[in-house]
Amino acid sequence: MTIRRALGSDAKKLYELEKKLFSKDNFPLSQGSIRYHLKNNLLYLSELHGNIAGYVLVLIKRKNAKLYSIGVDETHRGKKIANGLLDSVFKELAIMGFENILLEVRVDNYGAISLYKKRGFEIKKILKKFYGDGCNAYLMGLDLK
Ligand SMILES: CC(C)(COP(=O)(O)OP(=O)(O)OC[C@H]1O[C@@H](n2cnc3c(N)ncnc32)[C@H](O)[C@@H]1OP(=O)(O)O)[C@@H](O)C(=O)NCCC(=O)NCCS
């Protein structure tokens, strides 16, 4: 298993994984958006035998970093791949001088919330009816220093 920064040539495979991970209701990234993020943000992937097992996308704007999305192929879950992706991207963010990172997560996404809490994220706020289906979100933050 290798974790590395994603390249333009990974866009198609990332899009295939994205469609498996997120249904239309959960607004999967289009291939065009993936290409945009590859150029302008931080996208790391985990690769196994030439296949992408997972990815993490962090949006970076001036001094702010936001964990936009993380996903691991169902067949590879529970093998600490998300943990490894977060290690890599947090290391890069620290080198780039970012001091903290924020994210929003559905309050019913227990697996992701558990992952984020284990990594030290704390709930900062509840964002009411944040998602299209009326679901609330937690705004969570982590100090990277
Ligand atoms: C959330 C997700 C990324 C976790 O990926 P993963 O590679 O299976 O996670 P890891 O194996 O690295 O887990 C690390 C820790 O996170 C926590 N965790 C991860 N998935 C969990 C789950 N389903 N239930 C409870 N805790 C979970 C555990 O504490 C775990 O540590 P442990 O194994 O020592 O208990 C994966 O389930 C996924 O892709 N879900 C669908 C997409 C999604 O909802 N993404 C988040 C919103 S963008």
Side-chain angles (χ1 to χ4, degrees):
M1 184 84 58
T2 316
I3 293 180
R4 62 168 173 85
R5 184 103 185 236
L7 306 168
S9 52
D10 297 310
K12 198 159 182 279
K13 280 186 184 172
L14 281 166
Y15 178 57
E16 294 308 318
L17 174 61
E18 180 74 359
K19 282 191 294 182
K20 277 207 264 175
L21 289 170
F22 300 104
S23 66
K24 280 199 177 132
D25 296 347
N26 285 308
F27 305 107
L29 292 166
S30 65
Q31 209 172 146
S33 311
I34 290 171
R35 287 190 192 284
Y36 171 85
H37 291 305
L38 284 167
K39 280 195 196 131
N40 297 287
N41 291 299
L42 279 185
L43 209 159
Y44 273 76
L45 60 78
S46 159
E47 195 173 42
L48 184 68
H49 309 307
N51 294 314
I52 299 178
Y55 81 93
V56 61
L57 170 61
V58 173
L59 307 187
I60 44 177
K61 204 172 175 187
R62 296 202 186 98
K63 287 257 161 205
N64 301 312
K66 179 176 273 194
L67 201 162
Y68 182 81
S69 182
I70 184 166
V72 172
D73 195 308
E74 222 166 345
T75 55
H76 292 295
R77 290 191 190 153
K79 299 180 189 170
K80 311 274 185 211
I81 293 177
N83 230 4
L85 287 162
L86 292 177
D87 282 343
S88 297
V89 83
F90 290 168
K91 204 187 273 177
E92 177 77 23
L93 287 168
I95 292 169
M96 292 168 81
F98 287 92
E99 295 186 348
N100 50 57
I101 181 164
L102 293 172
L103 63 82
E104 288 119 13
V105 60
R106 290 178 66 97
V107 297
D108 59 3
N109 193 343
Y110 307 110
I113 293 166
S114 161
L115 167 71
Y116 300 144
K117 282 191 170 166
K118 201 158 187 182
R119 295 301 305 230
F121 277 89
E122 286 175 1
I123 296 171
K124 303 279 179 198
K125 221 189 256 183
I126 296 178
L127 307 171
K128 297 271 182 203
K129 297 187 177 166
F130 187 78
Y131 295 99
D133 63 356
C135 185
N136 294 344
Y138 289 132
L139 175 70
M140 302 183 82
L142 172 72
D143 212 333
L144 293 168
K145 281 179 286 176

